[in-house]
Amino acid sequence: MMITSVAAVDVIDDITSCIKEADTKELSKFFSSTVSMTLLNDDGVYSRVQAEIILREFFNRNLPTGVSIAHRLDSNPNFRYVVLNLETASDTFRVSYKLTNSDNSFRITEFRVESIY
C-alpha cells in the first residue's frame, strides 16, 4: 500500500512539473484516452491528442511563471484530485484535475482551467 501512495505522489509531482514547464507533450502522457476538459468557458470531451493541442495553445498565450499546489486529495487508492494555482505574467488561474487508477496507473480523466478573479 505504501508503494501505491508513493507512486501517486510522484505522478502528482510529475504532472505539476509538466504544467509549470508548459510541457504539453509530456503532460499528455498522463491523459487517459479521452479527457473531459474545461478551459475557461469552453468544455468538452477530447482525445489525448486534441487535449494536448488545446492546452498547448493555452500555454502559448499564458506562459506559466509559477505553480503551487493549493489542495490535494490522495487518500483513496483509486482516485486523486489536485488543485493548483497557476500564475502567468498577466493572470492567475486555478487548475484542477482528477486522476483515476486504471491497471495500476493513474491517468487524468478530467482537467479544468479557470480564471481567478
Side-chain angles (χ1 to χ4, degrees):
M1 179 128 147
M2 183 65 162
I3 293 171
T4 302
S5 294
V6 170
V9 169
D10 289 344
V11 75
I12 290 170
D13 292 341
D14 290 346
I15 292 169
T16 301
S17 291
C18 290
I19 293 169
K20 185 175 186 176
E21 300 297 321
D23 187 349
T24 56
K25 183 173 176 126
E26 198 62 32
L27 179 62
S28 70
K29 294 177 182 178
F30 295 100
F31 290 157
S32 64
S33 58
T34 59
V35 180
S36 174
M37 182 181 291
T38 300
L39 186 59
L40 303 176
N41 294 324
D42 295 325
D43 63 340
V45 177
Y46 304 102
S47 71
R48 178 181 292 135
V49 172
Q50 289 171 316
E52 179 191 354
I53 291 167
I54 291 166
L55 281 175
R56 184 179 330 125
E57 290 172 1
F58 170 79
F59 284 129
N60 284 341
R61 292 186 309 273
N62 301 283
L63 191 62
T65 58
V67 175
S68 61
I69 295 176
H71 177 73
R72 67 193 298 155
L73 174 65
D74 57 7
S75 58
N76 185 316
N78 296 312
F79 172 85
R80 302 287 185 263
Y81 184 76
V82 179
V83 179
L84 304 172
N85 290 322
L86 169 65
E87 295 178 33
T88 68
S90 61
D91 208 347
T92 301
F93 299 94
R94 176 169 290 121
V95 176
S96 58
Y97 59 90
K98 179 176 127 179
L99 296 158
T100 305
N101 190 351
S102 176
D103 297 326
N104 291 323
S105 178
F106 281 95
R107 296 284 171 217
I108 298 172
T109 55
E110 293 179 25
F111 196 90
R112 183 177 203 94
V113 179
E114 302 167 293
S115 186
I116 299 176
Y117 299 109

